[in-house]
């Protein structure tokens, strides 16, 4: 059991680790980092700040027995994905960590995984808090943008795109939870998709000047595209023959692969819309993106497969 002052040590532990990792681009604007009552930060001149917070609870948002460095990677990456989805460049983050006990064998790899991920994306830890209780991780990220990509900018006739492939994380979840066995290749694909989602900064930066709306797909394409529809007061039609379904979704279960790609969670790919006038430019940007449908005035999302109307069995995200 942690004694009084032990959580003070954790704070020291993170301070030391993250002060050693300074030099990332996000260090810009840090007047005073970890250690005082507040961090002191200077926003980049002329930019808009984007901020988002997310809590991940053990046993709800990640398996409690997952590797601590994997947990840290996922926790920071899912938050970074929200910055990417707004076309914001990462600057700073804060961490609130709730732990049952102060265990160096858990904390050391967790802090290392967090520092490695932070360094990779140029984001700097500027403050935090630790408390005692069931394991949960809250991260607040702040970034800066010039032209934010909002959900409410789509217009009827805009083309809908997604980045990369969908469905790998949801399809691989039974392997992560060890409910099912799979090949080494399948397990690798599942671990990469689930614990190392790739915030789509490069795609967001490239489409930023041309897209009319965007978000990151965290709860499944149908549900998240529904957010763009609701915010933009429109509907959508999707051609499922064009949907980029991840190889792992097919290899886990070919019968449900399409449904998994449409409604599974945790993809962290971008879904965005592009007006007709910018379509040629966006399609010639050499990006890993696929056009999958069109925004229209009629409410709701209509799906077509092989020229016929297609209904998913559910649109909800599976929490475990
Ligand atoms: Mg999001």
């Amino acid at each position: 059991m942690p004694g009084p002052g032990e959580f003070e040590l954790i704070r020291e532990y993170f301070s030391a680790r993250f002060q050693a990792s300074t030099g990332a681009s996000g260090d810009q604007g840090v007047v005073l980092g970890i250690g005082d009552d507040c961090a002191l930060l200077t926003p980049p001149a002329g930019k808009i700040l984007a901020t988002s917070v997310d809590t991940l609870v053990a046993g709800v948002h990640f398996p409690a027995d997952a590797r601590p460095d994997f947990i840290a990677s996922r926790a920071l990456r899912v938050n970074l994905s929200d910055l990417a989805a707004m076309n914001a460049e990462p600057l700073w983050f804060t961490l609130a960590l709730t732990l049952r006990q102060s265990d160096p064998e858990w904390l050391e790899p967790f802090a290392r995984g967090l520092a490695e991920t932070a360094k990779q994306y140029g984001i700097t830890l500027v403050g935090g808090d630790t408390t005692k209780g069931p394991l949960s991780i809250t991260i607040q990220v702040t970034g800066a943008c010039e032209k934010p990509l909002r959900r409410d900018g789509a217009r009827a006739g805009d083309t809908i795109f997604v980045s990369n492939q969908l469905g790998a994380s949801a399809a691989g979840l039974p392997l992560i939870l060890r409910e099912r066995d799979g090949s080494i290749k399948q397990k690798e694909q599942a671990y990469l998709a689930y614990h190392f989602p790739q915030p789509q900064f490069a795609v967001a930066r490239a489409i930023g000047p041309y897209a009319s709306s965007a978000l990151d797909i965290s709860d499944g394409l149908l549900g998240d595209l529904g957010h763009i529809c609701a915010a933009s007061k429109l509907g959508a039609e999707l051609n499922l023959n064009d949907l980029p379904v991840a190889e792992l979704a097919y290899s886990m279960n070919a019968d449900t692969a399409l449904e998994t790609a449409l409604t599974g969670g945790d993809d962290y790919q971008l879904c965005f819309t592009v007006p007709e006038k910018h379509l040629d430019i966006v399609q010639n940007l050499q990006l890993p993106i696929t056009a999958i449908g069109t925004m229209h005035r009629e409410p709701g999302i209509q799906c077509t497969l092989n020229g016929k109307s297609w209904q998913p069995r559910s649109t909800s995200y599976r929490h475990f």
Side-chain angles (χ1 to χ4, degrees), residues 8 39 71 94 150-151 184 187 189 192 238 287 295 305:
E8 284 296 322
I71 293 172
T94 57
R150 296 161 51 140
R151 299 173 176 199
I184 289 171
K187 285 181 192 164
Q189 289 174 333
L192 279 176
L238 297 180
L287 297 170
M295 299 300 293
L305 182 67

Side-chain angles (χ1 to χ4, degrees), residues 146-165:
E146 272 174 51
K147 184 185 179 284
L149 286 170
R150 296 161 51 140
R151 299 173 176 199
D152 60 0
R155 297 289 174 264
D158 288 0
T159 299
I160 303 161
F161 286 84
V162 290
S163 63
N164 296 290
Q165 284 87 39

